[in-house]
Amino acid sequence: AKMAGKNCYRFYSRTMDLAIERRVRMEHDLRGAWDRGELSLVYQPIYRTRDRVLVGAEALLRWNHPEDGAVAPSVFIDVAEQSGLIENIGLLALRNACAEAASWPVPPGAGEPPFVSVNVSARQLGSGDLLRQVAGALQQSGLAPERLHLELTETAVISDEANAVALLGRLRQLGVKVWLDDFGTGYSSLSHLRRVQADGLKIDRSFITDLLRDPDDLALTSAIIAMAHSMGVTVVAEGVERVGQFDLLRERDCDLVQGYWLGHPQSGQEFTALLG
Ligand code: C2E
Ligand code: CA
Ligand code: CA
Ligand code: CA
């Protein structure tokens, strides 16, 4: 028994070493990945539900590793957050997304050029530098502030709410729109939505996936939409993969939709071609 225990211990320790080794290597490779041209942004179209007019896009990071190929964002964003590298990578993403969006034309039927939605991590929110960085990115690109949307997760906002609320207030004074991402998965509450004064919320994909089969998910989604509208908050549903989900969301008055059924994340060049 003693031997088995010892082997067991060795086994776990070795597995852990490998996991740590992988993370350390990834962190090392991620440093300077942008300068080597391995990181890029793709843009996923966002449509107005009512008439399916293209109104915006979410900028999403991609990492093409020289040996491993495409690394899942869920994996490398996590490493970037843990190591603090996200502060720099996030800033580069912000600047590039603004520069790209500044040249987008008005799509047919939209009346105005599309907005660009940029993800902001908790680390960036807490860095104390976000306001200056956003103002700088807007100034350098010439992008109208109203066309920049910042997506923050509820958990990021809650972890330091007093500070976050003050900062988000200043960002909104600049004219930038604040969106709560992955809504419904955290400690979503009416009072929270109110304090943050979010302009919009994104219903998490996990609610949309089963929308046609799970009455609870449909009830929750409908309740979130009604609640948001009563407060003048815009609602996006993400992860729309089928026409049935789209039809149901339109029936329930969801403002905007995003998902594979409407369009995949694509290069800036491809997205610009969509607008013509
Ligand atoms: P997220 O912010 O919730 O982004 C939406 C994710 O859902 C994206 O995954 C997108 O490709 C995916 N998606 C869109 N439509 C569909 C659909 O119809 N079906 C399914 N199954 N998936 C869909 P992606 O690009 O892998 O990004 C994963 C996460 O990585 C993002 O989740 C976000 O949390 C993070 N991320 C990506 N780019 C950035 C960034 O620039 N900064 C920060 N801080 N986080 C980022
Ligand atoms: Ca997002
Ligand atoms: Ca999301
Ligand atoms: Ca469900």
Side-chain angles (χ1 to χ4, degrees):
K2 212 173 177 183
M3 275 303 285
K6 209 171 169 188
N7 285 338
C8 232
Y9 168 76
R10 274 210 190 118
F11 172 75
Y12 284 123
S13 131
R14 175 111 188 89
T15 316
M16 270 165 58
D17 282 352
L18 281 172
I20 291 166
E21 221 173 272
R22 244 197 320 268
R23 284 188 82 90
V24 168
R25 188 174 74 98
M26 188 172 283
E27 187 186 322
H28 171 268
D29 291 352
L30 202 48
R31 217 175 277 279
W34 194 291
D35 292 337
R36 291 191 300 272
E38 296 164 16
L39 285 167
S40 59
L41 287 172
V42 287
Y43 298 88
Q44 185 174 31
I46 299 175
Y47 291 85
R48 194 156 63 199
T49 317
R50 171 161 51 84
D51 50 11
R52 244 203 280 166
V53 163
L54 183 53
V55 292
E58 177 176 7
L60 294 158
L61 273 168
R62 293 291 178 264
W63 184 17
N64 188 17
H65 190 281
E67 287 143 43
D68 305 345
V71 185
S74 55
V75 174
F76 77 80
I77 297 285
D78 189 50
V79 170
E81 267 170 11
Q82 303 278 332
S83 61
L85 283 171
I86 193 68
E87 288 192 33
N88 190 242
I89 292 172
L91 174 59
L92 291 166
L94 174 72
R95 284 187 186 149
N96 277 271
C98 289
E100 180 84 41
S103 67
W104 289 344
V106 179
E112 53 191 9
F115 63 79
V116 67
S117 231
V118 176
N119 291 286
V120 174
S121 81
R123 275 299 263 262
Q124 293 172 275
L125 198 61
S127 76
D129 222 19
L130 189 63
L131 185 67
R132 203 177 55 80
Q133 292 176 350
V134 168
L138 288 171
Q139 215 209 343
Q140 276 169 29
S141 63
L143 184 73
E146 299 72 32
R147 290 181 57 207
L148 176 61
H149 296 191
L150 301 178
E151 295 191 6
L152 306 126
T153 60
E154 297 180 84
T155 34
V157 175
I158 288 171
S159 69
D160 185 3
E161 203 184 77
N163 176 40
V165 167
L167 176 58
L168 296 181
R170 284 199 202 93
L171 285 164
R172 293 180 76 245
Q173 274 170 12
L174 281 183
V176 168
K177 308 280 186 216
V178 172
W179 285 74
L180 286 183
D181 204 355
D182 304 341
F183 194 83
T185 58
Y187 301 91
S188 332
S189 76
L190 203 75
S191 60
H192 182 232
L193 195 58
R194 218 187 149 105
R195 272 198 302 279
V196 173
Q197 290 206 291
D199 298 283
L201 61 83
K202 301 188 83 166
I203 303 180
D204 191 68
R205 189 174 76 223
S206 59
F207 294 97
I208 308 305
T209 306
D210 280 343
L211 203 60
L212 298 166
R213 280 181 304 245
D214 187 337
D216 290 341
D217 287 351
L218 179 58
L220 259 162
T221 298
S222 306
I224 292 173
I225 295 170
M227 175 194 84
H229 284 173
S230 75
M231 297 171 62
V233 170
T234 306
V235 183
V236 183
E238 53 182 12
V240 178
E241 293 183 350
R242 336 153 61 96
V243 64
Q245 294 164 329
F246 173 80
D247 287 341
L248 206 46
L249 288 162
R250 185 167 53 187
E251 185 195 302
R252 301 295 158 125
D253 223 13
C254 183
D255 304 285
L256 309 176
V257 277
Q258 175 182 1
Y260 295 162
W261 184 70
L262 294 129
H264 283 258
Q266 47 203 288
S267 71
Q269 207 175 4
E270 288 167 315
F271 181 75
T272 307
L274 261 191
L275 301 170

